[in-house]
Amino acid sequence: MSAPPGEYYTEERWKNWIERIEAESIDPEEEDSARLLLNLQDDAAIAVAKIVTDYEDDELDTEAALEELASVRDIVLKEVEMDDEEKLMVVDGVQTSLVCVFYAAEEYVAGDVAEAPVDNLIEAAGDAEANEDMDAALGYCVQAGTRIFADEDELSMDIVDELEFGLVAEWVNGLDSLQTALSDPEVVEEDDA
């Protein structure tokens, strides 16, 4: 019932993305750079979406799904070593965005789906961030992610546009990638840019 190692995501795949970022000039304001970073993020979100979908289709049991999620999380959230500080910062931003995706997937697989609508949870996360309660802010974003996995409702772009720049905005960015991955789980080719 368990998938072969690396079926969902491999260390090599992540490394290829990182090497590509190191090799190119990165300016998040430029369309090509922004697309490369979004593809990196979407690629990991697609792996998470596929694990959860296989869990829902009974191809993975709870334990195997959690193991696969942990395996991908360990690859994607491992500290990246890079000489260029600016590139390191943008990769760190992608990793930060994905933190919420991994936690939400784990909560969902463990059977915990939030009751409140996604937009209410995101608003609560923004309020918690404004009050400097980052644990609560992350918790609300994770709960919103469980709703997205359960296909209960969607993340609206109106609420996203209202967010102040900060961790909640980054986590919600990850949830947006997740939502896209669940609706269109096409593998992002590493040469797509």
Side-chain angles (χ1 to χ4, degrees), residues 7-177:
E7 182 177 323
Y8 295 102
Y9 206 82
T10 62
E11 187 111 26
E12 182 183 357
R13 189 167 182 88
W14 177 255
K15 200 169 135 231
N16 288 344
W17 283 107
I18 299 304
E19 285 172 359
R20 177 129 175 247
I21 288 169
E22 282 185 295
E24 296 194 18
S25 62
I26 298 292
D27 176 359
E29 302 299 312
E30 274 184 25
E31 189 180 337
D32 285 351
S33 292
R35 192 178 310 118
L36 174 60
L37 295 170
L38 186 61
N39 284 348
L40 165 65
Q41 183 170 303
D42 285 354
D43 194 43
I46 288 167
V48 172
K50 285 184 172 182
I51 292 168
V52 172
T53 300
D54 282 354
Y55 163 75
E56 290 173 330
D57 294 343
D58 292 327
E59 291 177 35
L60 292 173
D61 61 22
T62 303
E63 188 179 337
L66 290 172
E67 282 175 17
E68 290 291 347
L69 288 167
S71 169
V72 177
R73 184 188 64 224
D74 290 347
I75 292 168
V76 171
L77 299 184
K78 187 166 77 176
E79 191 174 339
V80 173
E81 292 185 18
M82 210 179 271
D83 294 334
D84 187 319
E85 285 296 316
E86 284 185 22
K87 289 180 180 179
L88 198 55
M89 277 177 50
V90 294
V91 170
D92 183 61
V94 168
Q95 290 174 309
T96 300
S97 295
L98 290 166
V99 164
C100 185
V101 171
F102 286 111
Y103 283 145
E106 289 166 1
E107 293 252 334
Y108 176 72
V109 168
D112 189 13
V113 177
E115 302 277 323
V118 168
D119 288 357
N120 293 14
L121 291 165
I122 300 303
E123 281 177 20
D127 293 344
E129 183 174 36
N131 292 319
E132 297 182 11
D133 187 350
M134 297 317 295
D135 288 342
L138 178 57
Y140 287 125
C141 287
V142 168
Q143 289 176 352
T146 65
R147 300 271 304 169
I148 293 168
F149 274 117
D151 209 14
E152 296 291 335
D153 54 355
E154 292 189 358
L155 182 62
S156 86
M157 285 303 109
D158 293 342
I159 194 95
V160 173
D161 294 339
E162 291 171 17
L163 290 172
E164 297 288 324
F165 179 77
L167 284 173
V168 169
E170 292 209 39
W171 293 327
V172 169
N173 185 349
L175 292 178
D176 185 40
S177 281

